[in-house]
Each structure stands twice: as structure tokens, then as C-alpha cells.
Amino acid sequence: MFAWVRAFYQYLARWAADEPARWGLWVAPCPICDSDTDHGKVRLRRKAAMDQRTGTLLPALPALVRAVERQLKDAERCLAAGRETPAAATFITPAGETLLRRAGVSTRVYADDPTTGRRRDLTMEEERAFWAWAIVEVLRHTGMRIEEALELTHHSFVAYQLPTTGEIVPMLQVAPSKLDQERLLLVSPELGEVLTAVIHRVRRGQAAMPLVSAYDTLERLSSAPMPFLFQRRYGPENRAIPRNYIYTCLGDALVASGLTGPGDMPLRYTPHDFRRIFVTDALRTGLPPHIAARICGHRTVDTTLGYAAIYPEDVINHHRAFVARRRSLRPGEEYREPTAQEWQDFLAHFELRKVALGTCARDLGTPCVHEHACIRCPVLRPDPEQMPRLEEIRANLVDRFQEAKEQGWLGEVAAIEASLAAAEQKLTAMRDVSARHTTLHLGMPDFRTSAGRLTSDPASGY
């Protein structure tokens, strides 16, 4: 609302510049200041909430990975047991439940739970468990956006040959989504196993991947038929997996896992949480921020750093590791214990720093490059108490300057001019230091004008 009001006043001022006779009457100062429309606090609160959420979900990620793997194996064994069981017969699931195989001719496997009377679609349970495992693995290994993962096709695999060794490295080409920029991601062995399982499931023994069209709910457009990796059998045909199906599979997996966070509240992962966890974990393990920005498809490093939840403990540990690496690259004799003579030379250096006009701040072991001409030296720290001495030196320089001009000593004139300019600079520095350290007497406070009456009041009894 504040932004609309401020824009309205700016529009009036702009219109009045074009048509003063019509709009000049309505121009007025905007009552909304810049601080009212500044969303800095909102962004800071959002960043703090994101960091807190990432800090809660990151430690629970290994437990989630184990949970989705266990759920997939249990669903596969349960489905296999149901297919092997004849109709109207009972079988025991890996979880210890007793189910009754339903009769009927169907490609799907249905079973009844005698205790609750609920019918279960074992085929659907195995399918949701598989896609929940697949999306968790793909997102946590790549840090991709959910729309980028759903747009992966069989043509996304690229073979890259290293120019040094000639080794073939598999790469994954990510189609442009948000910033219209394609990028390549390295396919790790773990990610390769997941993508291989997805391709094997989608092909179902066929020679090629089925071609399906995907509908983009944001752009409201259907893509051309392509061999998408994330597709599933829906009735008699294959269809691309939409985003809401991924949310359903992930939600069912989280409910079945029983993972809880602070306050024993159930944990909730969204596909974008895996992207923040990927960036945070990559930066914490030493990946340079600009490389992480290229992997995630960010235009600036600041965007990548905004995704990362870095805590003081991580900063301390990384800084100590950085110092250790720097020390390992430098000669070891620089970190040895100093000898007695070196220590005496070090102490003597500080004793030689005291000069007539202040303190010399040159480094240890370095000679005086100005041949002890302290007035011209830039590393001299003048002492305000030596201001009278420097004024005498300046007066002497003025007399010498007049004499040199009268005698025609042009070289001496140039040297004395440089000394005079340096002396004026040192005097100015002394006056500034004296002004900053001047003691100001504030006097004693007087409370007689602000204190209450101290005279007794017969009517009040005091």
C-alpha cells in the first residue's frame, strides 16, 4: 500500500512537469518517506527464517535418505509378495501386517487390510515410494530447481572428454528455466545410479524412452513430445510427472518416516529446501562460492550466499583451516622460536623508535630510507607535546629559506621548500591530535531548577 501511495505522488509530479496548468495544482510533498517503503527488515527476517529452517533440515537429511530407501525396499517387497499370492489368500508384509489379496483381473495389485477394512493399492504405494526416493536423490545431489529436474530428458546426458587425460566424464545438461541459461552438472556415481534406475523403470524393457508432452502450469504451454525422465504410466499411456505429484510423494514419505523437529513437530521438506541444503553443505565443505553459483545457475555470488546458512562455528572452523593451509605453504623457519639475539634485536628496535619529534613507525629490520630526516618522513607519528620544538625548526627553516634565496642557492631553496611543506603537515597533524584530546570542563550539575520543593507545607503535614 505504501508503495502505491508513493508511486501516485511521483506520478503527479511527473505529470505536472509535462502539463503544469492541469496537474501543478495537485502536486504536494509525498508523505511516504524512503524508510516506509524499504523492505530491508522483511528481507532480513526472511533470511533468518530460511537459515533457521535450513539449520533444522540439514542434520535430518541423512535420516530422510535412509527413510525413503527403506520405504522403497519395503514397498517393492510388499508388491512382489502381493503378486505371488493367489486371489483371496493372505500374505504378510515386511512391516508385519497381514493383508488379503483381492480377486479380479487387473495389472495393479490390490489388497485388503482385515483389521481396518481399508483397501490398499500396492502398485500405487510402490510407485510413490520410488518417485519420492528418486526426487530426493536427484535434488540433494544436484541442487536443481524442481522445474529443472522435471524437465530432464534422455538427451540431457552429455559426454565430456578431459583435455589432459582424455577421460570421458558424464555431464548433465540442465535446460534453462528461471534465468534462461543452460548449464552442465557433473554426474557423480551416486547420481548416475539414481538416473539409471529411473531410465530402467520408464523404459520397461523397451528399446527407447517413451515420448510424452509436459504441460507447464506457469507458462501454460505444452512442450513437444520428448523422452522425459520423470514420467509414469497413467492408465493406457505415459504422462509427464507434474509438480503436485512430486509434492504428494514427498509428503507421504515424510509422514511414513516419522521425522520430527523442534517441539516434536513433523518435519516438512519442500523441493527448494534441498537446493538451500545443497548450497550450504557445498560451501561448508570448501567449495568456492563462485563455483557454487555456476552450479546452481545464479547470476551473482550474493544470491548463492543468500541461500547458505553459515553459522559462527562454521566461520571459525573455516578460518582456522585457512590459516593452517597458509602456514603449510610458507617456510617452516618462519614459525620457529626466536633466538635470544633475535629477541634482543626486536626489543632494541622499539627503543630506537623514539625520536625528538615523536615516534618512528618503520618496520622491524628496515633501515631509515630518509637518512633520519624525520620532518619529511611519512612514517613519523608526531607527538603533540613537541609542537614548540617543531615550530622552532620551522622558524629556522624560514630563515634559511630567505638566506638561500638571497644567495641564489636554488638547490637549497628546493630542499628547504620540501622541508617546510612537511613541517606544516606535521604541525597540522599535531594540532588535530591536540584538539581531539582536549579536556572540556562541563562544570557541576545543578538540580535546583528541576528538583521538587524542599520547604515544608503545613497543610500537607510534611
Side-chain angles (χ1 to χ4, degrees):
M1 180 62 70
F2 283 168
W4 296 349
V5 174
R6 186 173 180 81
F8 175 69
Y9 277 85
Q10 292 177 351
Y11 290 156
L12 288 178
R14 190 177 305 169
W15 297 339
D18 298 335
E19 301 182 40
R22 182 179 181 182
W23 300 106
L25 178 64
W26 308 103
V27 175
C30 181
I32 308 299
C33 58
D34 294 338
S35 60
D36 295 333
T37 57
D38 184 17
H39 301 288
K41 291 183 179 180
V42 177
R43 287 191 294 268
L44 290 176
R45 294 193 189 101
R46 186 186 303 116
K47 180 64 169 61
M50 289 170 50
D51 292 349
Q52 183 178 5
R53 181 177 179 83
T54 304
T56 303
L57 299 180
L58 179 58
L61 181 59
L64 175 63
V65 173
R66 292 191 299 267
V68 294
E69 290 178 353
R70 185 181 64 255
Q71 292 171 19
L72 176 59
K73 293 179 181 179
D74 293 346
E76 290 175 348
R77 289 198 294 264
C78 183
L79 179 60
R83 284 175 176 170
E84 296 174 357
T85 303
T90 60
F91 63 96
I92 300 177
T93 66
E97 301 173 330
T98 302
L99 299 181
L100 177 64
R101 173 69 187 272
R102 289 181 62 91
V105 179
S106 175
T107 57
R108 309 181 73 86
V109 179
Y110 297 96
D112 293 331
D113 191 347
T115 58
T116 61
R118 183 173 62 92
R119 188 186 70 169
R120 293 175 55 178
D121 188 348
L122 303 184
T123 306
M124 181 192 67
E125 293 179 2
E126 188 272 341
E127 189 174 21
R128 289 188 176 180
F130 175 84
W131 290 117
W133 168 78
I135 198 63
V136 168
E137 292 292 330
V138 170
L139 293 182
R140 80 181 184 94
H141 285 301
T142 62
M144 289 191 298
R145 303 177 180 92
I146 181 61
E147 60 270 16
E148 295 172 344
L150 296 181
E151 291 177 0
L152 292 177
T153 66
H154 203 197
H155 303 309
S156 300
F157 293 94
V158 179
Y160 175 74
Q161 184 177 6
L162 296 178
T164 55
T165 61
E167 180 184 358
I168 301 298
V169 178
M171 305 289 290
L172 195 63
Q173 185 178 14
V174 181
S177 61
K178 185 176 181 181
L179 301 179
D180 294 334
Q181 292 180 352
E182 291 186 355
R183 63 185 190 275
L184 292 176
L185 299 180
L186 179 64
V187 178
S188 61
E190 296 82 2
L191 179 61
E193 293 180 2
V194 176
L195 297 179
T196 302
V198 171
I199 294 174
H200 179 74
R201 183 184 185 87
V202 173
R203 289 176 60 178
R204 296 180 181 272
Q206 300 178 5
M209 295 277 291
L211 302 180
V212 296
S213 297
Y215 180 73
D216 193 335
T217 57
L218 300 178
E219 297 182 0
R220 297 182 180 181
L221 294 175
S222 296
S223 67
M226 300 180 67
F228 287 104
L229 298 185
F230 283 86
Q231 58 173 293
R232 68 187 185 96
R233 193 72 177 174
Y234 191 84
E237 60 181 1
N238 281 45
R239 292 186 182 180
I241 295 179
R243 185 180 306 187
N244 57 355
Y245 185 78
I246 295 297
Y247 279 90
T248 301
C249 297
L250 191 57
D252 293 345
L254 287 170
V255 172
S257 66
L259 296 177
T260 58
D264 292 335
M265 296 296 294
L267 287 181
R268 177 179 175 269
Y269 282 80
T270 63
H272 211 70
D273 288 329
F274 295 97
R275 184 172 173 83
R276 299 191 187 100
I277 292 174
F278 175 83
V279 175
T280 302
D281 188 61
L283 296 181
R284 290 176 62 180
T285 53
L287 185 68
H290 65 283
I291 301 298
R294 295 296 299 270
I295 293 176
C296 295
H298 292 153
R299 288 181 179 175
T300 61
V301 180
D302 295 337
T303 305
T304 307
L305 295 178
Y307 274 66
I310 305 299
Y311 302 98
E313 182 181 357
D314 301 329
V315 176
I316 295 173
N317 294 336
H318 281 77
H319 186 255
R320 293 182 63 183
F322 168 75
V323 173
R325 289 194 301 269
R326 290 291 299 271
R327 284 188 173 183
S328 63
L329 297 176
R330 298 186 65 85
E333 58 269 13
E334 295 185 3
Y335 301 100
R336 60 177 175 81
E337 291 292 333
T339 62
Q341 183 62 36
E342 291 174 343
W343 185 251
Q344 291 298 329
D345 295 342
F346 179 73
L347 296 178
H349 168 76
F350 288 95
E351 295 177 357
L352 294 175
R353 283 187 173 188
K354 189 65 178 178
V355 294
L357 298 178
T359 305
C360 180
R362 70 177 186 271
D363 297 333
L364 174 65
T366 57
C368 181
V369 296
H370 295 91
E371 298 180 355
H372 302 284
C374 298
I375 295 180
R376 301 182 185 180
C377 184
V379 297
L380 174 68
R381 294 181 179 178
D383 186 4
E385 297 182 357
Q386 303 299 328
M387 191 182 302
R389 182 187 297 274
L390 185 56
E391 290 177 348
E392 293 179 2
I393 295 175
R394 186 186 60 174
N396 186 17
L397 289 174
V398 172
D399 295 339
R400 289 174 54 193
F401 180 76
Q402 295 295 334
E403 180 183 2
K405 290 185 64 176
E406 293 173 358
Q407 298 295 331
W409 301 332
L410 300 182
E412 190 74 14
V413 168
I416 295 176
E417 284 181 347
S419 299
L420 278 173
E424 290 291 345
Q425 183 180 3
K426 296 293 188 299
L427 282 173
T428 303
M430 287 181 176
R431 295 190 186 100
D432 293 342
V433 174
S434 300
R436 288 197 300 267
H437 293 81
T438 301
T439 303
L440 180 62
H441 181 65
L442 300 177
M444 293 297 294
D446 187 3
F447 299 99
R448 289 176 295 179
T449 58
S450 59
R453 294 180 179 269
L454 299 178
T455 58
S456 60
D457 188 359
S460 60
Y462 291 97

